[in-house]
Amino acid sequence: EDLSWKNLMDAYTCTECGRCTAACPANQTGKLLSPRKIMMDTRDRAEEVGRNRRTGAAADGKSLLHDYITPEELRACTTCNACVQECPVSISPLDIIIQLRRYLVMDEASAPQEWNQMFANIEQNMAPWKFPPEDRGNWAE
């Protein structure tokens, strides 16, 4: 329910042609990511939430993340923008992927160990590397 109206409109606008998934390098290498599936799952969840609201049903306890889209799918994305480039109707599955990843990291504190090290380096050194700012130019010597 935290996705923007633009994200939801993109999900409804998707023509399900599959060009995004065909162009996705993560999908081509056998990873779980399918940008088309992300769009379809987002639309399906929006439909379900709308149906529950119209009928006055209690919250069903489901969420787009985990129940429809897995963290493994999201983490497989390289954010290369190929899915956006290939879309014939100019929608962006990448926006939804980034929003869901942001939720995983910021709200659920769920990130791979490699990411946690990078986050710590950024916090301490203002860069993803272990080197302090004053030592960054040492390689040139």
Side-chain angles (χ1 to χ4, degrees), residues 3 7 10 20-21 25 30 36 43 51 56-57 67 72 88 91 105:
L3 292 175
N7 296 141
D10 281 351
C20 54
T21 299
R36 179 183 176 275
R43 186 186 62 205
R51 192 172 28 260
D67 292 315
E72 290 76 27
I91 62 175
V105 172

Side-chain angles (χ1 to χ4, degrees), residues 30-89:
K31 303 255 183 348
L32 291 177
L33 178 64
S34 167
R36 179 183 176 275
K37 179 186 174 297
I38 299 284
M39 299 311 291
M40 299 302 91
D41 288 345
T42 302
R43 186 186 62 205
D44 293 346
R45 180 61 187 154
E47 286 284 329
E48 196 170 292
V49 168
R51 192 172 28 260
N52 289 345
R53 287 185 179 175
R54 280 191 304 277
T55 62
D60 58 9
K62 293 182 183 177
S63 69
L64 179 60
L65 183 60
H66 300 298
D67 292 315
Y68 289 83
I69 301 169
T70 65
E72 290 76 27
E73 289 176 88
L74 299 176
R75 290 183 183 138
C77 180
T78 63
T79 63
C80 69
N81 215 32
C83 56
V84 178
Q85 294 288 331
E86 283 298 313
C87 183
V89 290

